[in-house]
Amino acid sequence: MKKWLSFLMVAMLALVLAACTANKEAGKEPEKPAENTSTDEGKEEGKKDEDVAIEKTLLMNNGEEPTSFDPSIGFNAVSWSALNNIMEGLTRLDKDHRAVEATAEKIDVSDDGLTYTFTIRDGAKWSNGDPVVAGDFVFAWKHMLNPETASPAAFLAYFIEGAEAYNNGEGSADDIAIEAKDEKTFVVKLTSPNEAFLNIITNPSFFPINEKVASADPNWHTEAATFVGNGPFKLSAWSHDVSFEFEKNEHYWDADAVQLDKVHWAMVNDDTTAYQMYQANELDVTSVPSEIADQMKDSKELRIDDQAGLYFYRFNTSMEPFTNKKIRQAFAYAVDQEEIVNFVTKNGEKPAHGFVTYGFIGPDGKEFRETVGDLVSYNPEKAKQLLEEGMKEEGYAELPKVTLSYSTSETHQNIAIALQSKFKEVLGVDAALQNVESGVFLSEQKEFKYQMSRSSFLHDYADPVNALESFITGSSMNRTTWSNAEYDKLIADIKNETDENKRWELLKQADKLLMDEMPVFPLYFYNSTSLEKEGVSGILRHPVGYVDLKYADKN
């Protein structure tokens, strides 16, 4: 069985974690959406109660303002949850987490596995009634790869012939091997066979863009009034930093499968506030605050879903003292991952002792994480020794000041405090804490302004290399300034290796090298918990993928 499909069959459903960063609007909601009730008011004469349609509005929480509804830019959880429901790509993950035909009704693959020909559905339309055409995919994918777009997702398309050269400024857009042969035929040529290709293009970064609309208004994606999508829902309202709302898209090719009339998304960044809204029936789904996790474990409304990703911290390897490998290792070995998941997050997450998560099955039928084993674990004696050796190598009589930076959230703060305590206990280091508003935090982390900073990774597609490739030299996902020629070659070899057994061995070597060089240190693999009201059904949560409300219902 192909390795990416093996993972999808092994892993449980996933819940994309709502970001939980507090902002000034937390808890302030606009007028409450209509409940699923009906009254006699406005009822047509002679109508019976059972003849009056009940509007179904699902109440969700996005945590914070989406980064962008431009699918090339919104490359994170707070954008994906929405984009996956107001737009749609050539393929979509089904109820069994398999990539199946979506906007494309037919997919033909050449014998050599390099050329894919997609036939666009006749019934595929944009929310403004325009037909979805092959040129819309050509336009969108070239927009993603355009160096001026600076899309953080561009690297995902590098398996397309000519894509990497264009994105790096070394080639032309005309050299990208994508073509609209006619309005309904879209052709893609890859550099080498890629088992995960149809899965990869379920990522919102590969969604089409209405070329006619975007050409007339480059800011089409910034307001509900101008947004045009092709998904099961359409964006009907957007009060920035407060809420946004979907309505069923009557132009969607499979509109009959959509059960909800509306979806209302709050932007509440505090878990406790969100839980209070859930109790007050202002949310139908919410995350579980860590402080009440124990008392909710037997609730009928509790859902526990695995998710392919992890919570970790980054070192800036250009900032002292983390220019020294042994000092980075010392801080990593001073961290007790089991203590974090048992006493801080308390949601049953698995402690992370390597960067690649559980759920990937190799050609030998064995679990990747278990085969590689624990690469970094709590070891206070080793941590002290490494710190002493590193300081000696750098000539430090006293360690330079250390600051942990994190984005505003109760969970992030609690984890940072736990790390601060451990660094003091084990290493004798008084680390300072820096709390930064989430929007500012991400941009400044990308600009390498932080010495040590929290981060997370969610898989874009089901293969270990997706996590490991984040740390090649120059990757927009790196954000550590770390560069290692041996590691870069390993990742390149992994992508070009067609022998599955050899490829798997290279993946193991890459995980080990990353954890030895330690530009990052892992804390835990996601195992998200959520509460879901009785009567809510059909929400799809994929281990590698995005919240899907196409089949959701509310009774």
Side-chain angles (χ1 to χ4, degrees), residues 148-428:
E148 294 183 4
T149 302
S151 169
F155 72 96
L156 288 176
Y158 283 2
F159 52 80
I160 299 172
E161 190 175 289
E164 184 173 7
Y166 174 56
N167 187 241
N168 289 336
E170 300 169 357
S172 164
D174 294 335
D175 296 331
I176 305 172
I178 55 177
E179 176 188 3
K181 284 205 166 182
D182 55 49
E183 286 198 343
K184 294 297 180 182
T185 309
F186 179 59
V187 182
V188 182
K189 186 176 181 181
L190 310 184
T191 56
S192 60
N194 190 324
E195 296 177 357
F197 175 58
L198 295 179
N199 184 283
I200 293 171
I201 61 174
T202 64
N203 185 284
S205 307
F206 292 91
F207 288 172
I209 294 174
N210 188 313
E211 181 176 8
K212 182 172 65 176
V213 169
S215 298
D217 178 12
N219 295 317
W220 64 275
H221 53 85
T222 61
E223 300 293 342
T226 54
F227 186 88
V228 176
N230 69 320
F233 299 90
K234 58 186 178 182
L235 183 64
S236 56
W238 189 359
S239 179
H240 292 283
D241 294 308
V242 178
S243 67
F244 55 91
E245 191 163 274
F246 299 165
E247 290 182 2
K248 180 177 177 177
N249 179 10
E250 70 275 17
H251 294 297
Y252 181 55
W253 67 269
D254 198 19
D256 288 346
V258 181
Q259 303 300 310
L260 296 172
D261 298 296
K262 293 182 179 181
V263 183
H264 181 85
W265 297 80
M267 297 184 203
V268 177
N269 304 342
D270 179 74
D271 283 352
T272 301
T273 302
Y275 176 66
Q276 291 169 349
M277 292 176 64
Y278 179 83
Q279 289 181 303
N281 294 321
E282 294 173 0
L283 287 177
D284 292 319
V285 180
T286 190
S287 55
V288 182
S290 58
E291 62 269 19
I292 65 166
D294 290 339
Q295 67 191 66
M296 298 303 299
K297 63 184 180 181
D298 296 323
S299 172
K300 293 180 180 179
E301 298 178 1
L302 180 68
R303 287 192 55 152
I304 301 177
D305 300 289
D306 281 342
Q307 187 173 17
L310 78 163
Y311 190 108
F312 66 100
Y313 260 74
R314 302 176 189 264
F315 293 114
N316 186 329
T317 61
S318 295
M319 281 190 182
E320 294 188 80
F322 300 123
T323 51
N324 184 279
K325 169 181 163 180
K326 288 183 177 178
I327 293 177
R328 297 195 299 269
Q329 291 176 328
F331 276 77
Y333 284 111
V335 174
D336 188 339
Q337 287 90 345
E338 277 76 8
E339 193 174 89
I340 294 289
V341 298
N342 289 333
F343 302 108
V344 181
T345 59
K346 296 187 289 188
N347 278 329
E349 299 94 342
K350 295 175 182 176
H353 299 294
F355 201 81
V356 175
T357 185
Y358 287 92
F360 294 107
I361 307 302
D364 58 358
K366 297 179 181 179
E367 166 72 55
F368 180 94
R369 184 74 271 137
E370 292 178 358
T371 302
V372 178
D374 293 352
L375 301 178
V376 53
S377 297
Y378 180 52
N379 190 329
E381 293 307 313
K382 186 173 183 178
K384 292 173 185 176
Q385 178 185 340
L386 285 165
L387 180 62
E388 182 180 342
E389 291 176 0
M391 290 181 66
K392 193 172 294 183
E393 288 179 357
E394 298 299 321
Y396 293 146
E398 183 178 342
L399 196 71
K401 181 181 178 182
V402 172
T403 300
L404 282 69
S405 302
Y406 60 93
S407 49
T408 306
S409 138
E410 183 181 2
T411 299
H412 301 330
Q413 183 178 46
N414 290 342
I415 291 172
I417 290 172
L419 294 177
Q420 180 189 48
S421 174
K422 216 64 184 173
F423 295 150
K424 176 64 176 177
E425 174 191 335
V426 176
L427 302 175

Side-chain angles (χ1 to χ4, degrees), residues 19 38 50 72 87 125 247 312 344 369 430 457:
S38 61
E50 58 267 27
S72 296
M87 303 191 83
K125 293 184 179 181
E247 290 182 2
F312 66 100
V344 181
R369 184 74 271 137
D430 290 309
F457 177 80

Side-chain angles (χ1 to χ4, degrees), residues 57-73:
T57 301
L58 185 67
L59 307 177
M60 300 285 288
N61 181 25
N62 201 57
E64 62 183 74
E65 176 82 354
T67 301
S68 178
F69 281 162
D70 175 344
S72 296
I73 302 299

Side-chain angles (χ1 to χ4, degrees), residues 18-39:
C20 36
T21 20
N23 66 28
K24 62 183 179 181
E25 299 292 346
K28 295 182 181 179
E29 284 298 295
E31 185 176 344
K32 186 178 176 181
E35 296 287 344
N36 290 355
T37 58
S38 61
T39 68

